[in-house]
Amino acid sequence: MSLRIAERCRVVVDNDWAGDPDGLVALAHHLLSPANRVVAVTGSQNSPVFGSPAGTAAAGTALAQELIDLVGTHRPVVAAGCDVPIGGGDTSSAAADAIVAEARRDDPLPLFLVCAGPLTNVAQALRQAPDIAERLTLVWIGGALGADAQEYNRDTDPQAADEVLGRAELAVRQFPLETYRRCSYSVAELEHDIGGAGRVGAWLWQRFLELPLPDFVQLGEVWPLGDSPPVLVTALDDASSTWSGPPTRRVYTDVDVRLLFADLLARLRLHQRRTD
């Protein structure tokens, strides 16, 4: 028997699922959290620095669907985005359509659009339906506090980031580079803690083993699970984290890493126990 947890919000989770598996770790956490109802999962393209992005949105979305089926707690809409940045051609997609549809759906629960990749799908959805900016809160892993810092998610589609963040009516919860890098996990911990936490954990660890790393990437002993902090906003509690900025444009400067990852591991183990 478990305590009955009240739903707090609806969540659309958007990510470049074919890239760093930290996004899939975060998706598993959302799916295993009863306080947030995952209503849609949308996929974006990988950065061209890792090779041609052609086909990566669809390939990543297939991985997300595999994880959703394995977890089995939610049956969200799953939709792929485009493989080009917002200024690079036709960016209409099923992913953008899904974001618009959920934002326009009447529901008493607030909607959080969690994006831990380029903001291409978000920008396209806002182009199609500017009215939805006042019907959701964007929770973004991206950008940087340092003016000259390179940051993967923003730099994969900087025009999309400018368009989305330029909408003053859009509420934003941002975890910049300097903050999400605090969510570091050692590779040994990934294998032991996550890889050893039941079928879902083993599946996640296998994604790290199978990730085709480019030759220029020199793997060390640490792997940041930087896509995980939005769970503190949607399912857990951000009271023990810190932020700056006005209420509608909150920029997190520190996160409760203990709460975040202790909860993840507990949920993976409990899921295994309850499904045995």
Side-chain angles (χ1 to χ4, degrees):
M1 181 178 295
S2 298
L3 293 173
R4 187 171 63 185
I5 305 298
E7 284 188 328
R8 297 175 56 189
C9 61
R10 295 171 291 146
V11 180
V12 175
V13 190
D14 182 90
N15 207 314
D16 50 345
W17 307 112
D20 190 334
D22 69 333
L24 293 167
V25 173
L27 177 58
H29 202 169
H30 282 291
L31 293 169
L32 291 167
S33 300
N36 64 190
R37 185 200 310 159
V38 181
V39 292
V41 174
T42 55
S44 58
Q45 79 278 11
N46 284 10
S47 169
V49 301
F50 294 110
S52 172
T56 57
T61 304
L63 279 175
Q65 181 68 70
E66 187 176 340
L67 176 58
I68 290 165
D69 293 341
L70 180 62
V71 174
T73 55
H74 295 263
R75 293 298 172 191
V77 172
V78 180
C82 61
D83 289 324
V84 294
I86 197 69
D90 182 11
T91 52
S92 59
S93 67
D97 293 344
I99 293 170
V100 172
E102 187 57 39
R104 284 182 167 169
R105 190 169 66 82
D106 289 329
D107 193 293
L109 291 177
L111 176 63
F112 288 96
L113 172 50
V114 172
C115 185
L119 288 170
T120 311
N121 293 332
V122 182
Q124 177 61 32
L126 288 167
R127 282 185 175 187
Q128 292 175 204
D131 59 291
I132 69 171
E134 297 181 340
R135 297 178 62 89
L136 60 85
T137 296
L138 173 67
V139 186
W140 185 41
I141 296 288
L145 298 176
D148 298 326
Q150 293 183 330
E151 197 282 312
Y152 177 87
N153 294 334
R154 178 198 60 211
D155 297 342
T156 297
D157 193 346
Q159 181 179 336
D162 287 344
E163 284 191 20
V164 171
L165 299 178
R167 293 183 180 271
E169 70 276 25
L170 177 67
V172 179
R173 303 285 185 267
Q174 181 182 1
F175 294 88
L177 170 71
E178 295 85 353
T179 303
Y180 70 71
R181 280 286 176 89
R182 294 177 181 269
C183 298
S184 292
Y185 229 72
S186 78
V187 173
E189 287 176 310
L190 281 176
E191 180 176 2
H192 180 270
D193 294 352
I194 292 179
R199 286 182 293 273
V200 175
W203 185 93
L204 292 168
W205 171 240
Q206 192 63 32
R207 303 290 73 76
F208 287 91
L209 293 177
E210 295 178 359
L211 182 66
L213 290 172
D215 292 340
F216 65 84
V217 174
Q218 299 295 313
L219 184 61
E221 292 281 0
V222 174
W223 198 300
L225 295 181
D227 287 357
S228 290
V231 178
L232 293 167
V233 175
T234 65
L236 295 173
D237 196 327
D238 62 358
S240 51
S241 298
T242 58
W243 59 82
S244 62
T248 59
R249 287 291 169 107
R250 186 176 291 181
V251 178
Y252 288 83
T253 53
D254 197 8
V255 294
D256 190 337
V257 175
R258 190 220 63 82
L259 172 63
L260 186 61
F261 292 133
D263 184 74
L264 168 64
L265 294 176
R267 292 193 187 283
L268 289 169
R269 292 164 183 155
L270 285 170
H271 179 268
Q272 180 66 36
R273 190 172 77 190
R274 291 167 180 166
T275 54
D276 278 345

